[in-house]
Amino acid sequence: MSASLPNALTARLEADNQLPVTPSAVEAEQALLGAVLHNPEALDRARDHVRAEDFFEPVHRQMFEVMCQRRDAGEAIDWKLMKAVLGNADLGGVTTGQYIARLASEAITVVGAPGYARMIAEAAQMRTVYETCQAGAARMTCGAVENPAAYATHMIEQLDAVASAALAEHARRVTLGHSVTSVLARVDQVRQGHAPRGVPYGLPKLDGYTLGMRPSQFIVLAGRPGMGKTTVALHVALTAARRSGAVGFFSLEMGADELSERVLAATAYDPREPELITYRAIAEARGLSPDAMGRLQEAERACAGIPLWIEPQAGLTLAQIAARARQMRMRAERQGIPLAAIFIDHIGLIRPSKRYQGNRVQEMTEISSGLKGLAKELGIPVVGLSQLNREVEKRQDKRPQLADLRESGSIEQDADVVLALYRDAYYLEHKADRTDVEEDRLARCLNELEIEILKQRSGPTSRITCFCDVACNVLAEAAR
Ligand SMILES: Nc1ncnc2c1ncn2[C@@H]1O[C@H](COP(=O)(O)OP(=O)(O)OP(=O)(O)O)[C@@H](O)[C@H]1O
């Protein structure tokens, strides 16, 4: 096929044989375009694998764009029409019209189209890696980089686009036949009693209502400050890391030490022991008896192998979270375990892009739809904590409602599951001059936390009451 190249392209290919080459797949580009001119069905087979911007040659890119437009409009694609649309410029010894005619005459069959498309896309990815590294090396050697960490982050984001393209393979289109077969295979496994349903929350009733946290779900844990969002999230994250695989916990508010104090307190918790070990006591490192220290050391050993990976960094953008989640997935795969879920505490602290600067609702919409996209891309549940605003406090009944999320962009629409947290004790504790009746109520509900399923795309809404010791970060399903 290279014999039919216009002079300019041939010259470059020849030169490329001697010089360091910018990665490209020019011959695959020609072969694919020729195949489409021969039979437009080749385009349908190729489009899952390649985009116009992946083409190296500008004229090829332009041809592919025009072909896609014509196909989408239900119009014919043949070399005469293409020539009419693209004009008849001189490409260096050959006109566009002549070039298109040659491509058409040397066409491959449609069967080879996906293979050529993949070669073109792969070459484009190679170029991204090559150009990113080249630009990085150039900027480093001329001293144009002031902040190496910020520049490294920028490079990671660019390279991540390549990594994520490979990861997103599984998110491609599937046939209905394939999909229903895999659903039934899963049903069969469940019936035989050894099926992993979703990733468990570690609360049997909630797991029953929801079937656990299912792949590709965007799950929102919503509540007012102090209601127990972090407590619940850590309980669920720990359960998932113990039973289902690696878990990424993006803590945009608390440091790793603070989270670890909570995990230690929860792991060392034993209701039979007279001494409660609160995470506050661990933080203060005072008043811990030798026995408590022994329990904490035991908890340390129990935590040692749990793949709960904490990212304690404030001000992360959605792109950074996505890039790190993809890295976590690769790291997990290298260790032979799946990435079971990621958690973000909390989504209101994700640094928005500049696109909707100042428009909070639009910013939050971009973030929530991005999180849903990430869940789908990685094929895992993504759990986002959401802090509800003060409107809740104005009501007599302060239990959150779905409408409380409406201020926050499209979280309500994007979420597959919304779990709202409520502790009556929180409000009673903060009430001055409690009546005797209220004192009684407080004593009864001191360790109660309600989790209400406000939304579930494929299941019922419901409310469960849990046992919760917020001071020890402990959560369990209530006996009754
Ligand atoms: N030692 C303690 N004694 C009593 N209450 C405690 C103790 N330590 C923490 N708490 C309470 O536990 C709650 C903290 O729970 P958690 O951090 O899980 O809530 P949250 O919803 O994530 O809060 P925020 O949104 O403010 O981060 C707060 O109400 C806090 O007052």
Side-chain angles (χ1 to χ4, degrees):
M1 171 68 80
S2 58
S4 64
L5 283 169
N7 291 347
L9 303 184
T10 318
R12 194 164 60 235
L13 275 190
E14 281 166 2
D16 284 351
N17 286 335
Q18 291 130 39
L19 296 168
V21 205
T22 302
S24 64
V26 174
E27 293 190 4
E29 294 179 5
Q30 293 174 317
L32 178 61
L33 295 171
V36 177
L37 287 167
H38 187 64
N39 181 349
E41 273 180 30
L43 188 60
D44 306 334
R45 295 187 184 217
R47 276 170 90 178
D48 266 357
H49 308 282
V50 72
R51 302 157 308 163
E53 55 266 38
D54 292 338
F55 284 75
F56 180 69
E57 279 301 336
V59 66
H60 292 169
R61 196 174 308 148
Q62 203 189 352
M63 283 175 74
F64 192 77
E65 259 168 17
V66 171
M67 286 170 168
C68 291
Q69 283 160 11
R70 295 192 71 86
R71 188 78 174 148
D72 291 343
E75 292 166 6
I77 302 170
D78 64 40
W79 73 270
K80 281 190 198 137
L81 287 165
M82 291 297 292
K83 187 181 134 190
V85 177
L86 292 170
N88 209 18
D90 184 3
L91 293 175
V94 66
T95 63
T96 309
Q98 287 166 334
Y99 185 52
I100 297 172
R102 280 188 206 173
L103 291 182
S105 68
E106 295 179 26
I108 52 151
T109 61
V110 286
V111 181
Y116 282 110
R118 276 195 291 270
M119 281 167 70
I120 299 163
E122 211 168 277
Q125 292 173 354
M126 297 257 198
R127 272 196 307 281
T128 304
V129 175
Y130 173 75
E131 283 160 8
T132 306
C133 296
Q134 215 185 27
R139 295 199 67 174
M140 285 295 160
T141 44
C142 70
V145 174
E146 282 174 19
N147 181 339
Y151 194 70
T153 305
H154 163 75
M155 284 185 76
I156 287 168
E157 280 174 18
Q158 298 226 306
L159 294 173
D160 182 64
V162 176
S164 63
L167 280 175
E169 279 277 323
H170 74 278
R172 292 235 163 91
R173 200 180 300 152
V174 290
T175 65
L176 178 64
H178 184 273
S179 181
V180 292
T181 304
S182 92
V183 168
L184 278 191
R186 193 163 34 77
V187 170
D188 210 35
Q189 279 194 322
V190 176
R191 284 162 59 84
Q192 288 173 32
H194 48 78
R197 297 198 284 187
V199 174
Y201 285 94
L203 299 166
K205 264 197 206 136
L206 188 61
D207 283 325
Y209 286 132
T210 58
L211 303 180
M213 299 184 285
R214 304 182 69 188
S216 306
Q217 277 187 339
F218 171 39
I219 299 163
V220 172
L221 264 183
R224 285 286 295 149
M227 222 31 74
K229 295 184 294 297
T230 306
T231 306
V232 175
L234 268 181
H235 168 86
V236 178
L238 262 178
T239 308
R242 283 193 182 110
R243 297 198 210 160
S244 302
V247 172
F249 199 101
F250 291 87
S251 181
L252 279 62
E253 193 169 42
M254 276 184 230
D257 278 2
E258 282 174 278
L259 285 178
S260 301
E261 283 154 13
R262 285 173 174 245
V263 171
L264 278 173
T267 312
Y269 182 79
D270 186 344
R272 294 161 305 184
E273 293 284 347
E275 185 179 355
L276 277 183
I277 308 174
T278 64
Y279 49 82
R280 173 69 188 235
I282 301 173
E284 285 178 347
R286 274 190 310 207
L288 292 167
S289 70
D291 176 59
M293 282 310 295
R295 281 164 56 200
L296 285 174
Q297 275 149 10
E298 217 173 284
E300 181 197 5
R301 283 191 289 278
C303 291
I306 298 176
L308 177 63
W309 298 333
I310 300 171
E311 283 274 349
Q313 197 178 327
L316 288 178
T317 62
L318 187 61
Q320 287 171 322
I321 291 174
R324 287 174 198 201
R326 291 180 194 117
Q327 284 164 17
M328 282 179 180
R329 181 161 146 155
M330 285 188 252
R331 181 175 155 201
E333 277 168 4
R334 279 198 300 275
Q335 295 183 12
I337 49 174
L339 179 64
I342 63 166
F343 289 71
I344 296 139
D345 185 3
H346 61 85
I347 52 182
L349 294 176
I350 296 176
R351 186 151 53 89
S353 73
K354 297 205 166 60
R355 192 157 165 215
Y356 299 108
Q357 212 158 18
N359 185 337
R360 190 61 184 148
V361 174
Q362 287 291 344
E363 285 175 350
M364 285 309 296
T365 296
E366 191 183 34
I367 287 169
S368 68
S369 65
L371 291 173
K372 174 61 190 166
L374 184 63
K376 280 175 84 174
E377 180 202 316
L378 296 177
I380 59 167
V382 168
V383 183
L385 279 60
S386 172
Q387 195 148 293
L388 298 177
N389 63 30
R390 282 179 211 286
E391 285 302 303
V392 180
E393 312 289 347
K394 294 185 184 153
R395 291 196 298 266
Q396 180 69 23
D397 183 352
K398 298 179 174 49
R399 287 179 176 81
Q401 300 169 359
L402 214 44
D404 295 322
L405 284 171
R406 260 168 222 160
E407 298 290 298
S408 323
S410 63
I411 293 182
E412 185 193 347
Q413 290 94 302
D414 289 325
D416 298 287
V417 176
V418 176
L419 302 175
L421 308 186
Y422 175 76
R423 286 193 305 121
D424 213 11
Y426 175 87
Y427 291 104
L428 288 167
E429 277 170 341
H430 287 81
K431 189 167 189 286
D433 306 325
R434 283 187 293 269
T435 62
D436 289 348
V437 176
E438 285 167 339
E439 286 293 350
D440 253 19
R441 217 171 90 210
L442 176 59
R444 273 185 280 116
C445 72
L446 196 58
N447 288 120
E448 274 184 9
L449 178 144
E450 289 176 14
I451 301 181
E452 183 157 6
I453 307 170
L454 286 180
K455 173 181 174 182
Q456 181 176 199
R457 267 196 221 286
S458 44
T461 55
S462 191
R463 184 187 294 168
I464 64 165
T465 304
C466 302
F467 169 86
C468 179
D469 188 328
V470 276
C472 299
N473 203 96
V474 165
L475 187 71
E477 204 153 275
R480 68 188 168 83

